[in-house]
Amino acid sequence: MRGDAEERAVEVGRYIVQHGTTVRATAAVFGVSKSTVWKDQTRLRRQNPALWREVQRVLQKNKAERHLRGGEATRRKFLRMSGSHPPDRP
């Protein structure tokens, strides 16, 4: 199991950097829990510090933007409930 977990940690790290995904979205893609993704990042810190730093940059960016994503989701929810459709945004 140890070899598989370490390999997964690197795969998860590369995926996060390449796609800029959140921990939740990454967990869904790999079929693991959010806790497992965080544990993998701990492994990655010891195993590949350079990749870990890149992953941390992405995760910090996602953390800084999460209030915006949440607000956008709420706005769309209420527009759907009222029967209006939100304008497309990039």
Side-chain angles (χ1 to χ4, degrees):
M1 180 68 184
R2 182 173 168 88
D4 293 339
E6 289 179 356
E7 290 174 17
R8 185 186 61 230
V10 172
E11 288 180 37
V12 165
R14 287 182 181 151
Y15 184 84
I16 290 172
V17 170
Q18 289 174 353
H19 296 92
T21 58
T22 62
V23 170
R24 185 180 297 243
T26 303
V29 168
F30 283 87
V32 297
S33 69
K34 295 182 301 180
S35 299
T36 301
V37 173
W38 284 113
K39 285 180 191 177
D40 286 346
Q41 297 316 299
T42 302
R43 289 182 185 101
L44 190 62
R45 186 175 189 178
R46 291 188 309 261
Q47 188 178 350
N48 189 337
L51 179 57
W52 177 79
R53 281 189 294 275
E54 291 180 50
V55 169
Q56 291 305 303
R57 280 190 215 113
V58 172
L59 295 179
Q60 289 300 319
K61 177 182 174 278
N62 287 340
K63 184 178 178 184
E65 294 174 348
R66 72 181 169 190
H67 69 285
L68 299 173
R69 287 191 302 272
E72 180 65 19
T74 301
R75 184 181 76 84
R76 288 183 184 196
K77 173 185 171 184
F78 283 105
L79 286 172
R80 273 194 314 271
M81 289 171 48
S82 71
S84 301
H85 294 287
D88 290 333
R89 289 192 176 180

